[in-house]
Amino acid sequence: MNHAAVSWWQEGILYQIYPRSFQDSNADGIGDLPGITRRLLYLRDLGVDAIWLSPIFPSPMADFGYDISNYLGVDPIFGTLDDFDTLVAAAHASNLKVILDLVPNHTSDQHSWFIESRSSRDNQKRDWYLWREPRADGAAPNNWMSEFGGSAWSYDAGTKQYYYHAFLAQQPDLNWRNPAVRQAIYDVMRFWFRKGVDGFRVDVLWHLIKDAEFRDNPPNPSFRLGRPPHEALLPLYSTDRPEILEVVTEMRRVVDEFSDRVLIGEIYLPVDRLVAYYGKDLSGAHLPFNFALLSVPWNARAIAKLIDDYERALPAAAWPNWVLGNHDRPRVASRVGQAQARVAAMLLLTLRGTPTLYYGDELGMQQVAIALDQVRDPFEKNVPGIGVGRDGCRTPMQWNGDAHGGFTTGEPWLPLANEYAHQNVANLSADTRSVLNLYR
Ligand code: NOJ
């Protein structure tokens, strides 16, 4: 290891903001960029060093921003590019770094790339997505399943082929074997780096490359009823293909064209596969997200084992990292209870490596029960009733005891936890023994 100063992303603390739910500034019930700018002081006082924003780009919001229709703008719900520049300048003035979400695996079906691609078989963007012939009987090209339920293939009647989508039909997967696609996304990265962004968290990084022959996925022998249907198959051919490491290395080279930026990967894989994403001689992601704490049975022995396993698996000089919560998983306070959530905070903030906090976990925010008619998450809508819904961990930030917790003066897009009346920033700040002050 060289003896240059430790990087900000090594000694710092990352904080994930789900922009829809952090702070509304225009009374439409949805959080926005000016709202985040207003709350930077809170974040500085909390002691975090970087904020990662879930997607803020123009989107039809079929998957709440993870379906992007223009990589180079800001959705009007969140504000404008000027609001973004203001946020970055204010964050930097407060010594906070800004990390954006990069969603390179798929676009929205409303992105101009896909509209072109679907327009005809010989369109020059046809090969930017994954189009395949139907099988002889008209069925989908193979057995791959969408993570949000049903087949991962949708038929396009206009051009009589299927396109692949690992998530919603409104989220067609890009073809990462096509060099033009790679260059287009690398240019997106450069655009935001030039705007001063300090890094990217890359959405479903392990999904980018699919099997060249599109072989059927094998059945999963440990599949249990009550689990999401796509788990009935092992994603052997649809994810984590060997060629992905070449892509990660290329992305890292783009990051290294700029000084002091970070590359973080969203990767849900067993630890031995996860650490491969550091790349050969650490030429890949700086921080392949380590999600092991999200699913470990909460007892000391199991946790100790996973820490040992992770530390042992790390390549030499690779920097570890730890995550306790995110916008896809139940809140930690609900998984382990309020008392153990304090222990979990101590663990997260004292383990060797970079911690990532999820907004509101510092208040002990719980998973909120969502009534049927309030469900917004497409995963829950497509695969109802087995507890996969993600709305409950995306509810508005609880700032104070005012109506809607000070989050909005309008109607919040998701309900607040009932506990907000006492479990809020104003209240917990005043209580020296609160979980918030423990985090501080
Ligand atoms: C992972 C994101 O974290 C999740 O919220 C999203 O639905 C999927 N990727 C699809 O983009």
Side-chain angles (χ1 to χ4, degrees):
M1 180 135 155
N2 72 38
H3 294 275
V6 176
S7 295
W8 60 269
W9 53 265
Q10 295 179 293
E11 62 183 5
I13 296 171
L14 316 185
Y15 183 96
Q16 180 188 358
I17 291 178
Y18 195 68
R20 293 182 73 88
S21 294
F22 201 59
Q23 177 67 62
D24 182 17
S25 73
N26 63 353
D28 65 356
I30 299 175
D32 47 46
L33 298 179
I36 297 172
T37 304
R38 224 181 90 196
R39 295 299 188 178
L40 290 176
L41 265 187
Y42 166 75
L43 297 168
R44 211 188 52 187
D45 286 353
L46 182 60
V48 302
D49 300 276
I51 52 176
W52 148 37
L53 310 182
S54 281
I56 56 167
F57 317 102
S59 164
M61 302 288 167
D63 189 21
F64 297 108
Y66 284 96
D67 49 321
I68 296 172
S69 54
N70 169 11
Y71 285 99
L72 306 180
V74 169
D75 194 282
I77 284 183
F78 298 123
T80 63
L81 268 177
D82 281 346
D83 292 330
F84 182 76
D85 291 338
T86 303
L87 168 59
V88 171
H92 287 170
S94 298
N95 267 326
L96 286 166
K97 306 281 186 184
V98 178
I99 298 168
L100 287 184
D101 220 302
L102 182 73
V103 188
N105 180 67
H106 43 269
T107 68
S108 161
D109 63 346
Q110 301 305 308
H111 195 294
S112 62
W113 299 343
F114 188 71
I115 293 173
E116 278 188 53
S117 182
R118 128 184 270 174
S119 67
S120 79
R121 287 195 184 201
D122 48 25
N123 182 275
Q124 50 143 351
K125 290 217 166 47
R126 186 66 170 182
D127 186 53
W128 281 41
Y129 293 83
L130 299 166
W131 293 98
R132 285 291 171 285
E133 295 294 339
R135 280 189 275 202
D137 62 355
N142 69 19
N143 71 351
W144 295 1
M145 293 174 82
S146 158
E147 297 219 354
F148 289 158
S151 170
W153 297 93
S154 283
Y155 186 65
D156 177 60
T159 56
K160 299 193 168 51
Q161 284 187 322
Y162 283 87
Y163 66 90
Y164 174 72
H165 49 89
F167 298 92
L168 298 175
Q170 297 97 312
Q171 293 170 295
D173 278 45
L174 284 163
N175 175 13
W176 271 84
R177 292 181 187 269
N178 182 328
V181 166
R182 297 187 183 193
Q183 288 315 318
I185 295 291
Y186 300 157
D187 282 344
V188 168
M189 297 170 71
R190 294 184 181 105
F191 172 87
W192 292 105
F193 279 141
R194 289 190 192 108
K195 283 201 156 294
V197 160
D198 299 288
F200 287 102
R201 169 270 190 190
V202 185
D203 191 64
V204 296
L205 183 55
W206 83 112
H207 271 257
L208 262 49
I209 298 276
K210 291 65 158 146
D211 180 40
E213 296 165 45
F214 288 85
R215 282 168 282 188
D216 272 354
N217 277 327
N220 173 4
S222 29
F223 178 67
R224 287 179 289 112
L225 279 180
R227 296 291 307 163
H230 72 272
E231 291 184 7
L233 300 176
L234 294 171
L236 181 65
Y237 293 113
S238 48
T239 63
D240 192 33
R241 303 304 302 162
E243 301 95 319
I244 182 62
L245 291 178
E246 179 196 310
V247 173
V248 180
T249 304
E250 283 181 12
M251 274 186 180
R252 170 60 179 275
R253 274 194 222 119
V254 178
V255 172
D256 288 345
E257 290 170 17
F258 300 80
S259 80
D260 216 16
R261 316 294 163 107
V262 70
L263 184 65
I264 304 171
E266 185 207 21
I267 302 150
Y268 285 93
L269 285 175
V271 66
D272 56 314
R273 285 302 310 152
L274 171 69
V275 297
Y277 286 73
Y278 283 102
K280 188 170 180 298
D281 302 325
L282 304 187
S283 61
H286 293 107
L287 303 174
F289 261 151
N290 166 16
F291 294 130
L293 289 174
L294 292 175
S295 50
V296 66
W298 199 253
N299 68 71
R301 253 180 243 288
I303 296 168
K305 177 169 186 316
L306 89 80
I307 294 168
D308 285 345
D309 290 349
Y310 178 66
E311 283 282 354
R312 232 184 317 240
L314 281 175
W319 193 258
N321 78 90
W322 297 93
V323 178
L324 263 189
N326 65 32
H327 64 296
D328 294 325
R329 294 296 162 116
R331 287 273 180 189
V332 60
S334 298
R335 295 199 317 266
V336 307
Q338 292 291 354
Q340 282 297 310
R342 297 175 69 104
V343 177
M346 292 292 294
L347 183 68
L348 176 70
L349 294 169
T350 52
L351 278 170
R352 195 177 82 92
T354 302
T356 302
L357 271 52
Y358 182 50
Y359 86 95
D361 279 351
E362 74 275 24
L363 309 178
M365 272 175 68
Q366 282 110 305
Q367 193 69 7
V368 176
I370 304 292
L372 268 184
D373 61 345
Q374 289 177 323
V375 170
R376 307 293 301 265
D377 180 12
F379 193 7
E380 176 68 25
K381 287 185 179 173
N382 291 358
V383 185
I386 59 167
V388 296
R390 301 169 297 175
D391 295 322
C393 68
R394 298 174 174 179
T395 58
M397 180 69 173
Q398 298 158 196
W399 294 106
N400 56 43
D402 297 350
H404 309 312
F407 163 68
T408 182
T409 54
E411 268 309 303
W413 77 287
L414 280 176
L416 276 94
N418 292 329
E419 293 78 11
Y420 87 81
H422 58 93
Q423 199 179 48
N424 60 58
V425 171
N427 238 359
L428 299 185
S429 296
D431 172 0
T432 51
R433 301 203 315 186
S434 69
V435 63
L436 176 57
N437 280 317
L438 177 70
Y439 266 92
R440 282 194 180 127

